[in-house]
Amino acid sequence: MNSVGEGCTDLKREYDQCFNRWFAEKFLKGDRSGDPCTETFRKYQHCVQKAIKEKDIPIDGVEFMGPNKDKPES
């Protein structure tokens, strides 16, 4: 599945692969220490927030997920 921003799709795939690898190889085997994908997620999140702003997509009332749970920059 592509990202909301065309320029974000590669970052999305990179994050998805990182998360899936961590989930299968670490989390499901009981290793819950750290998340090696945090920085990749932040880059992807920033890209998506920028795309949402550029496309003027209304986001009022939407909860944001992620390590820092920041709302898009104004």
Side-chain angles (χ1 to χ4, degrees):
M1 174 183 275
N2 290 338
S3 180
V4 66
E6 290 178 23
C8 303
T9 298
D10 286 343
L11 284 170
K12 179 187 184 306
R13 288 189 181 128
E14 183 181 342
Y15 172 72
D16 286 347
Q17 288 175 353
C18 181
F19 176 83
N20 289 336
R21 185 171 38 259
W22 169 80
F23 189 76
E25 296 174 7
K26 302 286 185 175
F27 186 82
L28 290 179
K29 294 178 181 176
D31 182 356
R32 288 161 174 75
S33 61
D35 178 357
C37 308
T38 300
E39 188 58 34
T40 305
F41 178 82
R42 286 189 178 134
K43 289 177 187 176
Y44 173 57
Q45 181 184 43
H46 179 73
C47 187
V48 167
Q49 289 170 344
K50 183 178 175 188
I52 287 171
K53 185 176 180 181
E54 288 173 355
K55 293 182 179 197
D56 201 25
I57 297 172
I59 56 170
D60 294 336
V62 175
E63 292 289 324
F64 288 90
M65 297 173 55
N68 57 6
K69 297 184 181 179
D70 288 341
K71 291 193 176 185
E73 298 171 4
S74 299

